[in-house]
Short mmCIF file of all heavy atoms in Angstrom, two decimals:
data_model
loop_
_atom_site.label_atom_id
_atom_site.label_comp_id
_atom_site.label_asym_id
_atom_site.label_seq_id
_atom_site.Cartn_x
_atom_site.Cartn_y
_atom_site.Cartn_z
N LEU J 1 0.84 -1.19 0.00
CA LEU J 1 0.00 0.00 0.00
C LEU J 1 0.89 1.25 0.00
O LEU J 1 1.72 1.42 -0.87
CB LEU J 1 -0.96 -0.05 1.19
CG LEU J 1 -1.93 -1.26 1.19
CD1 LEU J 1 -2.78 -1.28 2.44
CD2 LEU J 1 -2.80 -1.27 -0.06
N TYR J 2 0.76 2.14 0.99
CA TYR J 2 1.47 3.40 0.94
C TYR J 2 2.95 3.28 1.28
O TYR J 2 3.73 4.20 1.01
CB TYR J 2 0.81 4.41 1.88
CG TYR J 2 -0.60 4.76 1.49
CD1 TYR J 2 -1.69 4.20 2.14
CD2 TYR J 2 -0.86 5.65 0.44
CE1 TYR J 2 -3.00 4.52 1.78
CE2 TYR J 2 -2.15 5.97 0.07
CZ TYR J 2 -3.22 5.40 0.75
OH TYR J 2 -4.51 5.70 0.38
N GLY J 3 3.36 2.14 1.87
CA GLY J 3 4.77 1.96 2.17
C GLY J 3 5.63 1.93 0.92
O GLY J 3 6.79 2.35 0.94
N LYS J 4 5.06 1.46 -0.18
CA LYS J 4 5.78 1.46 -1.43
C LYS J 4 4.85 1.62 -2.63
O LYS J 4 4.95 2.57 -3.38
CB LYS J 4 6.62 0.19 -1.60
CG LYS J 4 7.54 0.24 -2.82
CD LYS J 4 8.50 -0.96 -2.89
CE LYS J 4 7.87 -2.12 -3.60
NZ LYS J 4 8.86 -3.21 -3.84
N GLU J 5 3.91 0.69 -2.80
CA GLU J 5 3.18 0.59 -4.06
C GLU J 5 2.41 1.86 -4.42
O GLU J 5 2.42 2.28 -5.59
CB GLU J 5 2.23 -0.61 -4.02
CG GLU J 5 1.75 -1.04 -5.39
CD GLU J 5 2.92 -1.32 -6.33
OE1 GLU J 5 3.81 -2.12 -5.96
OE2 GLU J 5 2.95 -0.74 -7.43
N LEU J 6 1.73 2.48 -3.46
CA LEU J 6 0.92 3.65 -3.76
C LEU J 6 1.71 4.95 -3.66
O LEU J 6 1.18 6.03 -3.93
CB LEU J 6 -0.29 3.71 -2.82
CG LEU J 6 -1.40 2.71 -3.14
CD1 LEU J 6 -2.44 2.68 -2.03
CD2 LEU J 6 -2.05 3.02 -4.48
N THR J 7 2.98 4.85 -3.29
CA THR J 7 3.83 6.03 -3.20
C THR J 7 4.83 6.06 -4.35
O THR J 7 4.80 6.96 -5.19
CB THR J 7 4.56 6.07 -1.85
OG1 THR J 7 3.60 6.06 -0.80
CG2 THR J 7 5.41 7.33 -1.73
N VAL J 8 5.69 5.08 -4.41
CA VAL J 8 6.74 5.07 -5.44
C VAL J 8 6.42 4.06 -6.55
O VAL J 8 7.19 3.96 -7.51
CB VAL J 8 8.12 4.75 -4.83
CG1 VAL J 8 8.49 5.76 -3.78
CG2 VAL J 8 8.16 3.33 -4.27
N GLY J 9 5.32 3.33 -6.43
CA GLY J 9 5.04 2.25 -7.35
C GLY J 9 4.09 2.60 -8.47
O GLY J 9 4.34 3.48 -9.29
N THR J 10 2.94 1.92 -8.50
CA THR J 10 2.04 1.94 -9.65
C THR J 10 1.67 3.34 -10.17
O THR J 10 1.78 3.59 -11.37
CB THR J 10 0.77 1.14 -9.33
OG1 THR J 10 1.13 -0.25 -9.13
CG2 THR J 10 -0.25 1.22 -10.46
N PRO J 11 1.23 4.29 -9.33
CA PRO J 11 0.88 5.60 -9.88
C PRO J 11 2.04 6.32 -10.57
O PRO J 11 1.84 7.02 -11.57
CB PRO J 11 0.39 6.39 -8.66
CG PRO J 11 -0.03 5.36 -7.67
CD PRO J 11 0.92 4.23 -7.88
N GLU J 12 3.25 6.13 -10.07
CA GLU J 12 4.42 6.74 -10.70
C GLU J 12 4.74 6.09 -12.04
O GLU J 12 5.14 6.76 -13.00
CB GLU J 12 5.63 6.65 -9.77
CG GLU J 12 5.56 7.55 -8.56
CD GLU J 12 5.50 9.02 -8.93
OE1 GLU J 12 6.51 9.55 -9.42
OE2 GLU J 12 4.43 9.63 -8.75
N VAL J 13 4.56 4.78 -12.11
CA VAL J 13 4.77 4.08 -13.38
C VAL J 13 3.75 4.55 -14.41
O VAL J 13 4.09 4.83 -15.56
CB VAL J 13 4.66 2.55 -13.16
CG1 VAL J 13 4.71 1.81 -14.50
CG2 VAL J 13 5.77 2.06 -12.23
N LEU J 14 2.48 4.67 -13.99
CA LEU J 14 1.43 5.13 -14.90
C LEU J 14 1.67 6.56 -15.36
O LEU J 14 1.27 6.94 -16.47
CB LEU J 14 0.07 5.02 -14.21
CG LEU J 14 -0.39 3.61 -13.84
CD1 LEU J 14 -1.69 3.66 -13.05
CD2 LEU J 14 -0.55 2.73 -15.08
N ALA J 15 2.34 7.36 -14.54
CA ALA J 15 2.64 8.75 -14.89
C ALA J 15 3.91 8.89 -15.73
O ALA J 15 4.35 10.01 -16.00
CB ALA J 15 2.77 9.59 -13.62
N GLN J 16 4.51 7.76 -16.12
CA GLN J 16 5.70 7.76 -16.97
C GLN J 16 6.90 8.41 -16.30
O GLN J 16 7.69 9.10 -16.94
CB GLN J 16 5.40 8.47 -18.31
CG GLN J 16 4.22 7.90 -19.07
CD GLN J 16 4.40 6.43 -19.44
OE1 GLN J 16 5.42 6.05 -20.01
NE2 GLN J 16 3.42 5.60 -19.10
N ASN J 17 7.07 8.15 -15.02
CA ASN J 17 8.16 8.79 -14.28
C ASN J 17 9.40 7.93 -14.13
O ASN J 17 10.38 8.40 -13.53
CB ASN J 17 7.66 9.22 -12.89
CG ASN J 17 7.00 10.58 -12.91
OD1 ASN J 17 7.07 11.29 -13.91
ND2 ASN J 17 6.34 10.95 -11.84
N TYR J 18 9.38 6.71 -14.64
CA TYR J 18 10.57 5.86 -14.58
C TYR J 18 10.96 5.41 -15.98
O TYR J 18 10.11 5.28 -16.86
CB TYR J 18 10.32 4.62 -13.71
CG TYR J 18 9.94 4.91 -12.27
CD1 TYR J 18 8.92 4.20 -11.64
CD2 TYR J 18 10.57 5.92 -11.54
CE1 TYR J 18 8.56 4.45 -10.32
CE2 TYR J 18 10.22 6.18 -10.22
CZ TYR J 18 9.21 5.45 -9.62
OH TYR J 18 8.86 5.71 -8.32
N THR J 19 12.25 5.18 -16.17
CA THR J 19 12.74 4.65 -17.43
C THR J 19 12.80 3.13 -17.30
O THR J 19 13.65 2.60 -16.57
CB THR J 19 14.13 5.21 -17.77
OG1 THR J 19 14.05 6.65 -17.82
CG2 THR J 19 14.62 4.67 -19.10
N LEU J 20 11.89 2.46 -17.96
CA LEU J 20 11.79 1.01 -17.84
C LEU J 20 12.27 0.33 -19.12
O LEU J 20 12.04 0.81 -20.22
CB LEU J 20 10.34 0.61 -17.56
CG LEU J 20 9.74 1.23 -16.28
CD1 LEU J 20 8.25 0.96 -16.20
CD2 LEU J 20 10.45 0.68 -15.05
N THR J 21 12.96 -0.78 -18.94
CA THR J 21 13.52 -1.52 -20.07
C THR J 21 13.08 -2.97 -19.99
O THR J 21 12.34 -3.37 -19.10
CB THR J 21 15.07 -1.45 -20.05
OG1 THR J 21 15.54 -2.17 -18.89
CG2 THR J 21 15.55 -0.01 -19.99
N ASP J 22 13.58 -3.77 -20.92
CA ASP J 22 13.24 -5.20 -20.90
C ASP J 22 13.81 -5.89 -19.67
O ASP J 22 13.35 -6.97 -19.29
CB ASP J 22 13.78 -5.88 -22.17
CG ASP J 22 13.01 -5.44 -23.41
OD1 ASP J 22 11.86 -4.99 -23.25
OD2 ASP J 22 13.57 -5.53 -24.51
N ASN J 23 14.83 -5.29 -19.05
CA ASN J 23 15.34 -5.81 -17.77
C ASN J 23 14.41 -5.31 -16.67
O ASN J 23 14.73 -4.39 -15.92
CB ASN J 23 16.78 -5.33 -17.53
CG ASN J 23 17.72 -5.89 -18.58
OD1 ASN J 23 17.74 -7.08 -18.83
ND2 ASN J 23 18.50 -5.01 -19.20
N ASP J 24 13.27 -5.95 -16.57
CA ASP J 24 12.13 -5.44 -15.83
C ASP J 24 12.00 -6.17 -14.50
O ASP J 24 11.08 -6.97 -14.30
CB ASP J 24 10.87 -5.62 -16.69
CG ASP J 24 9.64 -4.95 -16.14
OD1 ASP J 24 9.80 -4.03 -15.31
OD2 ASP J 24 8.53 -5.36 -16.53
N ALA J 25 12.91 -5.86 -13.56
CA ALA J 25 12.98 -6.62 -12.31
C ALA J 25 11.72 -6.52 -11.48
O ALA J 25 11.39 -7.45 -10.73
CB ALA J 25 14.19 -6.16 -11.50
N TYR J 26 11.00 -5.41 -11.58
CA TYR J 26 9.80 -5.23 -10.77
C TYR J 26 8.51 -5.42 -11.57
O TYR J 26 7.42 -5.15 -11.08
CB TYR J 26 9.82 -3.85 -10.10
CG TYR J 26 10.82 -3.78 -8.98
CD1 TYR J 26 12.14 -3.38 -9.21
CD2 TYR J 26 10.48 -4.15 -7.69
CE1 TYR J 26 13.06 -3.35 -8.18
CE2 TYR J 26 11.40 -4.12 -6.66
CZ TYR J 26 12.68 -3.72 -6.91
OH TYR J 26 13.61 -3.69 -5.89
N TYR J 27 8.65 -5.85 -12.81
CA TYR J 27 7.49 -6.21 -13.65
C TYR J 27 6.52 -5.03 -13.83
O TYR J 27 5.31 -5.18 -13.74
CB TYR J 27 6.76 -7.43 -13.07
CG TYR J 27 7.68 -8.61 -12.85
CD1 TYR J 27 8.12 -8.94 -11.57
CD2 TYR J 27 8.14 -9.37 -13.92
CE1 TYR J 27 8.99 -10.00 -11.36
CE2 TYR J 27 9.02 -10.43 -13.74
CZ TYR J 27 9.44 -10.74 -12.45
OH TYR J 27 10.32 -11.78 -12.25
N TYR J 28 7.11 -3.88 -14.10
CA TYR J 28 6.32 -2.68 -14.31
C TYR J 28 6.22 -2.27 -15.78
O TYR J 28 5.47 -1.35 -16.11
CB TYR J 28 6.94 -1.51 -13.54
CG TYR J 28 6.62 -1.44 -12.07
CD1 TYR J 28 7.62 -1.20 -11.14
CD2 TYR J 28 5.32 -1.59 -11.60
CE1 TYR J 28 7.35 -1.11 -9.77
CE2 TYR J 28 5.03 -1.51 -10.25
CZ TYR J 28 6.04 -1.27 -9.35
OH TYR J 28 5.75 -1.18 -8.00
N LEU J 29 6.97 -2.90 -16.66
CA LEU J 29 7.02 -2.43 -18.04
C LEU J 29 5.65 -2.47 -18.70
O LEU J 29 5.23 -1.50 -19.36
CB LEU J 29 8.03 -3.27 -18.84
CG LEU J 29 8.25 -2.83 -20.30
CD1 LEU J 29 8.73 -1.38 -20.36
CD2 LEU J 29 9.26 -3.75 -20.99
N LYS J 30 4.92 -3.56 -18.53
CA LYS J 30 3.59 -3.65 -19.13
C LYS J 30 2.63 -2.65 -18.48
O LYS J 30 1.76 -2.10 -19.16
CB LYS J 30 3.05 -5.07 -19.01
CG LYS J 30 3.79 -6.07 -19.90
CD LYS J 30 3.19 -7.45 -19.80
CE LYS J 30 3.91 -8.42 -20.73
NZ LYS J 30 3.36 -9.81 -20.63
N THR J 31 2.81 -2.40 -17.20
CA THR J 31 1.98 -1.39 -16.53
C THR J 31 2.23 -0.02 -17.13
O THR J 31 1.29 0.76 -17.34
CB THR J 31 2.29 -1.37 -15.02
OG1 THR J 31 2.01 -2.65 -14.45
CG2 THR J 31 1.45 -0.32 -14.31
N SER J 32 3.49 0.29 -17.44
CA SER J 32 3.81 1.59 -18.03
C SER J 32 3.21 1.75 -19.42
O SER J 32 3.00 2.86 -19.88
CB SER J 32 5.34 1.78 -18.11
OG SER J 32 5.90 0.97 -19.13
N ASN J 33 2.89 0.62 -20.06
CA ASN J 33 2.24 0.63 -21.37
C ASN J 33 0.73 0.45 -21.25
O ASN J 33 0.05 0.22 -22.25
CB ASN J 33 2.84 -0.45 -22.26
CG ASN J 33 4.27 -0.15 -22.66
OD1 ASN J 33 4.61 0.99 -22.98
ND2 ASN J 33 5.14 -1.15 -22.63
N TYR J 34 0.23 0.50 -20.02
CA TYR J 34 -1.20 0.44 -19.72
C TYR J 34 -1.84 -0.86 -20.18
O TYR J 34 -2.99 -0.89 -20.64
CB TYR J 34 -1.93 1.66 -20.32
CG TYR J 34 -1.26 2.96 -19.96
CD1 TYR J 34 -0.52 3.68 -20.91
CD2 TYR J 34 -1.31 3.45 -18.66
CE1 TYR J 34 0.12 4.87 -20.58
CE2 TYR J 34 -0.66 4.64 -18.32
CZ TYR J 34 0.05 5.33 -19.28
OH TYR J 34 0.68 6.50 -18.95
N ILE J 35 -1.09 -1.95 -20.04
CA ILE J 35 -1.61 -3.28 -20.35
C ILE J 35 -2.23 -3.82 -19.07
O ILE J 35 -1.57 -4.47 -18.25
CB ILE J 35 -0.50 -4.21 -20.89
CG1 ILE J 35 0.11 -3.60 -22.15
CG2 ILE J 35 -1.07 -5.61 -21.18
CD1 ILE J 35 1.32 -4.37 -22.68
N TYR J 36 -3.50 -3.54 -18.88
CA TYR J 36 -4.16 -3.84 -17.62
C TYR J 36 -4.63 -5.30 -17.51
O TYR J 36 -5.24 -5.68 -16.51
CB TYR J 36 -5.34 -2.89 -17.39
CG TYR J 36 -4.91 -1.46 -17.13
CD1 TYR J 36 -5.82 -0.41 -17.24
CD2 TYR J 36 -3.60 -1.14 -16.76
CE1 TYR J 36 -5.44 0.90 -16.97
CE2 TYR J 36 -3.21 0.16 -16.50
CZ TYR J 36 -4.14 1.18 -16.62
OH TYR J 36 -3.75 2.48 -16.35
N THR J 37 -4.31 -6.09 -18.53
CA THR J 37 -4.58 -7.54 -18.46
C THR J 37 -3.37 -8.32 -17.98
O THR J 37 -3.45 -9.54 -17.82
CB THR J 37 -5.00 -8.06 -19.84
OG1 THR J 37 -3.98 -7.74 -20.80
CG2 THR J 37 -6.32 -7.46 -20.28
N ASP J 38 -2.27 -7.63 -17.73
CA ASP J 38 -1.04 -8.29 -17.27
C ASP J 38 -1.24 -8.85 -15.87
O ASP J 38 -1.76 -8.18 -14.98
CB ASP J 38 0.10 -7.27 -17.29
CG ASP J 38 1.36 -7.81 -16.64
OD1 ASP J 38 1.86 -8.85 -17.10
OD2 ASP J 38 1.83 -7.18 -15.66
#
C-alpha cells in the first residue's frame, strides 16, 4: 500500500516517471504501457 506501491510504485509508473527496459525486475514495463490484463 502506501509503504511502497501507492507512493513510489504503480501511480508513478502510470505517470511515466521511470525509465523502464526489458530488464524489468519489478514487472512494471507492461503497466507503463497500460496493459491492464497483465
